[in-house]
Amino acid sequence: MTAMTVPALRAATPAEGGRRTLPISAVDRLAAGAHVLGVMGPLVLPPRAALVAALHRVVSLGPGARLGLVAADRRDWAWTPETQRELCERMVREIPPLGDDLAPDEVLEHLVGMIDDALPLQVILSGERLLMIYDHQVVDARFTSRLPAALLDLAAGGEMPAWLSAEGVRHPLWRAVAATYLRHPARVPALLRARRVQVPTVPTGVVQEREQVAWAPSTAVAWGRGERRTFTELRRWLRAQPHPVAFSSAVIVALRAAFVREGVRLAAESELVWDVRQYLPAGVDTTGNFVTGVPVTGVDDLLAVDESIHETVTSGRPLAALVAGAVKEAVRPGDRRVPATAPAHARGHLVVSNLGVARTMQGLPWVRDGRPAELGYTVHPVPAENLSVQIAVIDGALQVAVAYNDNVFDRGVVDRALARFVADPLSLIDGAPGS
């Protein structure tokens, strides 16, 4: 299995009728209870039966392909070969078109009500839109961004992509640790330095008491698409800087400015979702969960934000964070209960997941009749104060979705902040043209 991590795990155990149980890795358990939702269209889509057959081909590869894994309990997957076809039939649905008048954000909110905790995946055909619901405990963003193209190609008679069919590595987390720290011990002092780079918000030892109010999650989504010109201008300006600046750094700074200008109070520290696979040895991959959130300091200073990300990544801190989270989860499983209260005065915590130029998504069979390609991903549920941002570039234009709780943040405010960002992100960066 591809995502066996910590601790030393039990071997898969057989059961009656070919059913097996396999241990859920601690890394996977960190994402328990969360779902990733996606909408894309207009697309040229195959018949439902062809998608069922394509999904069955993937599931038949074995547990490493992930999509046949169903949680038997909090600690074990159930893998049942004899019911795979029936599972695929349940995972692929066709529903009437939700309507061209529904924007992607409205479709994503509709998907929240369609989540089925018993299914690792739902593939939903809705007119010319392809809708996806993933159990985050099963897969992460690398998988969710690649699977739609793979399924549609398989449904058209294509070959199994190498990333799905390749045999996975056991214990990928420890393989990454060995490749990163044991082979390069100089990274350890860099890691310790990176952990000390923080923005102090209160004096050491002082605990701020924040007023709490009764609260229950209420996931809302905002979505926006920019013009090709605005992304091109941003990318050109970043490349022209004396010192290269990462696109993610510019996105974080511009997003923060957009929300602040609409009156949203933000926490000093942002967060960037990072794919930890870059720390694996060359040629080694995993289809299981392998991402983590890393802190980004620097507040609104572009160079300080970029330096924060650079130092964090080069030191291997994302890997260390994933190891720490996995060890903690293995020793003392986290409490997945939703808090019954939230701060009365929210401080938005910006969490950014950046796919960048999504080449696999760009290659989808988009309908090219003058209508723009629309793509949106989001997550559910969202912690009370989070502003969870998913970014991708399709046809050279930014496509952005923001998930949040509309009983914490005002819908109109979030919509305006996002519209401001996609319209001209460069103008939101101090020192850039138009700022």
Side-chain angles (χ1 to χ4, degrees):
M1 184 173 174
T2 60
M4 294 186 176
T5 51
V6 292
L9 296 173
R10 311 180 306 281
T13 56
E16 294 183 13
R19 181 179 183 270
R20 289 187 290 161
T21 59
L22 303 99
I24 301 176
S25 75
V27 172
D28 286 337
R29 293 205 306 270
L30 290 173
H35 287 81
V36 180
L37 316 175
V39 55
M40 54 215 75
L43 295 169
V44 179
L45 295 172
R48 175 184 173 277
L51 271 176
V52 172
L55 182 57
H56 189 241
R57 286 179 63 186
V58 175
V59 170
S60 298
L61 292 173
R66 306 290 292 178
L67 297 181
L69 296 173
V70 178
D73 51 42
R74 290 188 62 180
R75 300 190 67 88
D76 289 300
W77 298 117
W79 171 255
T80 314
E82 66 272 17
T83 62
Q84 287 174 359
R85 181 72 190 200
E86 184 271 336
L87 178 63
C88 292
E89 292 281 357
R90 292 167 53 208
M91 288 196 290
V92 181
R93 300 175 56 187
E94 187 164 11
I95 64 174
L98 294 177
D100 293 337
D101 57 328
L102 282 187
D105 50 354
E106 296 173 292
V107 176
L108 291 169
E109 289 186 16
H110 183 79
L111 288 180
V112 171
M114 297 178 65
I115 291 173
D116 185 341
D117 292 328
L119 297 176
L121 167 72
Q122 288 187 69
V123 181
I124 303 166
L125 297 162
S126 177
E128 293 179 309
R129 280 172 164 156
L130 182 66
L131 316 178
M132 312 288 288
I133 302 176
Y134 303 86
D135 183 340
H136 203 342
Q137 186 173 229
V138 179
V139 294
D140 66 13
R142 171 77 71 90
F143 202 110
T144 63
S145 64
R146 291 178 170 188
L147 185 65
L151 283 180
L152 294 180
D153 186 58
L154 287 169
E159 298 297 320
M160 187 70 65
W163 68 272
L164 268 173
S165 57
E167 184 176 350
V169 62
R170 290 173 61 90
H171 308 297
L173 197 53
W174 297 128
R175 292 286 297 274
V177 168
T180 303
Y181 294 117
L182 299 186
R183 294 180 189 174
H184 305 282
R187 274 184 158 172
V188 175
L191 171 64
L192 297 176
R193 286 196 302 272
R195 288 181 61 86
R196 289 196 297 268
V197 177
Q198 297 179 356
V199 176
T201 55
V202 294
T204 303
V206 176
V207 178
Q208 288 183 312
E209 294 292 339
R210 301 180 64 191
E211 180 187 354
Q212 301 287 306
V213 294
W215 175 78
S218 178
T219 299
V221 183
W223 179 87
R225 182 186 61 248
E227 298 178 0
R228 180 187 292 265
R229 172 187 57 82
T230 60
F231 172 65
T232 301
E233 290 173 351
L234 175 60
R235 182 172 57 179
R236 184 184 297 123
W237 183 79
L238 290 173
R239 290 176 174 175
Q241 298 312 296
H243 302 287
V245 178
F247 177 62
S248 291
S249 304
V251 162
I252 289 173
V253 171
L255 278 167
R256 288 182 62 93
F259 279 106
V260 168
R261 292 186 188 186
E262 292 300 331
V264 178
R265 295 201 315 163
L266 295 178
E269 192 173 84
S270 304
E271 187 174 334
L272 181 64
V273 178
W274 195 261
D275 190 338
V276 185
R277 289 172 181 82
Q278 77 165 58
Y279 302 102
L280 287 167
V284 175
D285 201 357
T286 175
T287 49
N289 277 286
F290 219 64
V291 297
T292 192
V294 295
V296 178
T297 60
V299 193
D300 306 311
D301 183 294
L302 179 60
L303 294 182
V305 167
D306 195 66
E307 177 59 26
S308 170
I309 295 174
H310 176 74
E311 185 168 4
T312 292
V313 172
T314 55
S315 70
R317 189 176 179 185
L319 174 59
L322 190 59
V323 170
V327 170
K328 182 178 179 181
E329 175 66 27
V331 174
R332 182 176 295 177
D335 186 352
R336 302 288 185 258
R337 289 176 298 180
V338 176
T341 64
H345 308 287
R347 298 172 187 161
H349 179 56
L350 192 67
V351 181
V352 176
S353 178
N354 173 34
L355 289 178
V357 179
R359 291 180 176 83
T360 57
M361 310 302 288
Q362 184 68 60
L364 290 171
W366 300 100
V367 174
R368 299 300 187 181
D369 61 357
R371 286 178 291 170
E374 294 183 338
L375 169 71
Y377 274 95
T378 196
V379 294
H380 170 80
V382 185
E385 294 183 284
N386 277 19
L387 295 159
S388 181
V389 183
Q390 311 279 325
I391 295 178
V393 177
I394 300 293
D395 287 347
L398 283 168
Q399 307 227 6
V400 186
V402 181
Y404 63 101
N405 289 277
D406 64 0
N407 53 10
V408 177
F409 301 100
D410 181 84
R411 278 181 175 266
V413 168
V414 176
D415 287 342
R416 290 194 299 272
L418 180 55
R420 185 189 290 269
F421 170 75
V422 297
D424 194 356
L426 188 56
S427 71
L428 296 166
I429 299 173
D430 287 344
S435 62

